């Protein structure tokens, strides 16, 4: 029987809903005969965020906690697919699930957000920086060990409002979310990729499915961006080799020149010390080749 409806599971934050609607529009563009419905799901991590500023730790599920309820509903058939920010996905997915489909990648850079200062170089000693990202904390403290980092949560607009209210001197946000939400604010100053290497998958919207849902996966093939998929496969392979958790400061970012992928990855500690970098290039046309490059970069970092 041909599929007549696809239910998309998504978090209920403004950005998550924008991303789910992007997938909905892409599907409706290629299959006008299918009714695509969005099902907002409040995750355990969203409840924890609402309760306070304490960072989520590995024992609580880390970044995978944001996807857990959605994944449960995919597996039990309540929804057909899940839409996520690829950077929020755990290194290893639950058995019976896969992320093989992606929308074209948005801007992967981070941005420096401050009402008082134009760049991190302008921050005086003792400045208070808000972030719950171990990666951003580590890479920032590497260059500015004289500043203080405090936990800082909330959706994109909430964090911008907190900076404007003076709760912290500065924070960091992903440019992809800022652009997708259509936010234009003078406090936002994008980093170059080299200044703050992005998280694996940053800027990419991924679609999670059950591998045995052949018909749905064939439909998703029609909206999939192959180059984004190859990039994210390579970057996530680095995480898998390093067994990167939500509390491990790891970055991985790839760029293409023709069919040649250059993959750069970095790992450090929460104090901004013991930083290590690996960079390799290879011809990449398949997911297997992308994963192989990611594993090699990860192994070199692991050896360091």
């Amino acid at each position: 029987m041909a599929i007549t409806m696809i239910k998309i599971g998504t978090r209920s934050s403004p950005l998550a809903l924008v991303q789910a609607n992007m997938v909905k529009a892409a599907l409706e563009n290629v299959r006008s005969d299918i009714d695509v419905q969005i099902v907002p799901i409040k995750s355990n991590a969203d409840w924890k965020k609402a309760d306070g500023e304490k960072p989520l730790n590995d024992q609580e599920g880390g970044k995978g906690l944001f996807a857990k309820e959605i994944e449960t509903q995919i597996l039990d058939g309540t929804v057909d697919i899940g839409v996520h920010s690829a950077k929020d996905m755990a290194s290893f997915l639950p058995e019976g699930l896969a992320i093989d489909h992606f929308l074209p990648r948005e801007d992967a850079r981070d941005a420096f957000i401050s009402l008082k200062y134009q760049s991190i170089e302008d921050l005086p000693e003792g400045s208070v920086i808000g972030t719950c990202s171990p990666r951003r904390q580590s890479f920032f403290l590497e260059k500015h060990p004289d500043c203080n980092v405090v936990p800082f949560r909330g959706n994109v607009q909430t964090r911008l409002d907190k900076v404007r209210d003076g709760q912290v001197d500065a924070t960091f946000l992903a440019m992809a979310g800022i652009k997708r939400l259509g936010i234009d604010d003078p406090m936002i100053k994008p980093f170059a990729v080299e200044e703050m290497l992005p998280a694996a998958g940053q800027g990419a919207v991924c679609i999670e499915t059950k591998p045995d849902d052949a018909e749905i996966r064939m439909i998703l093939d029609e909206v999939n961006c192959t180059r984004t998929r190859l990039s994210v496969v390579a970057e996530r392979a680095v995480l898998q080799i390093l067994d990167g958790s939500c509390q491990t400061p790891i970055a991985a970012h790839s760029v293409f020149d023709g069919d040649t992928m250059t993959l750069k990855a970095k790992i450090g500690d929460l104090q901004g010390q013991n930083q290590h970098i690996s960079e390799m290039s290879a011809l990449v046309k398949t997911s297997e080749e992308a994963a192989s490059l990611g594993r090699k970069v990860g192994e070199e970092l692991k050896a360091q």
Side-chain angles (χ1 to χ4, degrees), residues 26-37:
L27 288 170
E28 289 174 340
N29 187 51
V30 297
R31 292 294 184 95
S32 58
D33 57 322
I34 294 178
D35 178 20
V36 183
Q37 297 185 1

Side-chain angles (χ1 to χ4, degrees), residues 50-98:
D51 289 340
E53 298 295 315
K54 178 179 176 290
L56 301 172
N57 59 39
D58 297 337
Q59 286 70 40
E60 293 173 316
K63 66 170 71 175
L65 197 61
F66 286 110
K68 186 175 180 182
E69 280 75 14
I70 298 170
E71 291 174 333
T72 297
Q73 294 201 27
I74 298 171
L75 289 169
D76 69 19
T78 304
V79 298
D80 300 297
I81 62 177
V83 171
H84 314 275
S85 295
K87 71 180 180 65
D88 290 337
M89 301 305 288
S91 302
F92 297 95
L93 301 178
E95 186 175 353
L97 292 173

Side-chain angles (χ1 to χ4, degrees), residues 121-225:
E121 283 74 24
D122 297 335
L123 291 168
E125 181 179 347
S127 294
V128 178
I129 311 304
T131 182
C132 281
S133 162
R135 172 186 62 89
R136 290 168 177 156
Q137 173 178 325
S138 176
F139 299 167
F140 171 75
L141 288 177
E142 177 188 16
K143 298 176 182 176
H144 297 273
D146 56 352
C147 292
N148 302 311
V149 176
V150 298
F152 199 65
R153 291 199 174 277
N155 62 38
V156 172
Q157 190 60 59
T158 297
R159 281 185 269 178
L160 288 171
D161 291 342
K162 286 181 176 181
V163 174
R164 191 171 285 105
D165 291 343
Q167 294 186 28
V168 294
D169 295 309
T171 190
F172 310 109
L173 289 169
M175 281 300 299
I178 291 168
K179 288 185 174 183
R180 288 183 182 127
L181 289 168
I183 295 172
D184 184 13
D185 192 304
M187 293 197 301
I188 300 167
K189 299 104 179 174
F191 286 107
V193 166
E194 296 74 24
E195 292 179 277
M196 179 78 78
L197 198 65
Q202 187 156 306
V205 172
C206 65
I207 305 169
E208 191 171 24
T209 60
K210 290 187 283 190
D212 58 358
D213 275 349
E215 190 172 356
I216 282 181
R217 286 167 64 85
M218 284 178 62
I219 295 169
L220 293 174
D221 286 344
E222 299 181 47
V223 302
N224 180 55
C225 175

Side-chain angles (χ1 to χ4, degrees), residues 184-298:
D184 184 13
D185 192 304
M187 293 197 301
I188 300 167
K189 299 104 179 174
F191 286 107
V193 166
E194 296 74 24
E195 292 179 277
M196 179 78 78
L197 198 65
Q202 187 156 306
V205 172
C206 65
I207 305 169
E208 191 171 24
T209 60
K210 290 187 283 190
D212 58 358
D213 275 349
E215 190 172 356
I216 282 181
R217 286 167 64 85
M218 284 178 62
I219 295 169
L220 293 174
D221 286 344
E222 299 181 47
V223 302
N224 180 55
C225 175
T226 301
R227 186 141 288 189
T228 300
R229 175 180 175 174
L230 294 176
S231 291
V232 178
V233 165
E235 293 160 17
R236 284 177 54 78
V238 176
L239 295 183
Q240 290 160 358
I241 289 296
L242 296 171
D243 197 16
S245 74
C246 187
Q247 294 300 305
T248 309
I250 301 174
H253 182 65
S254 61
V255 293
F256 273 99
D257 181 4
D259 290 326
T260 298
M261 176 190 287
T262 298
L263 175 62
K264 185 175 183 178
K266 182 176 180 179
I267 188 169
D269 60 29
L270 289 172
Q271 291 71 46
Q273 302 170 2
N274 301 311
Q275 304 278 346
H276 300 283
I277 295 175
S278 174
E279 183 173 345
M280 297 183 187
S281 298
L283 191 68
V284 171
K285 293 184 178 181
T286 67
S287 293
E288 291 74 19
E289 290 169 340
S292 175
L293 178 59
R295 287 191 293 268
K296 288 176 183 175
V297 169

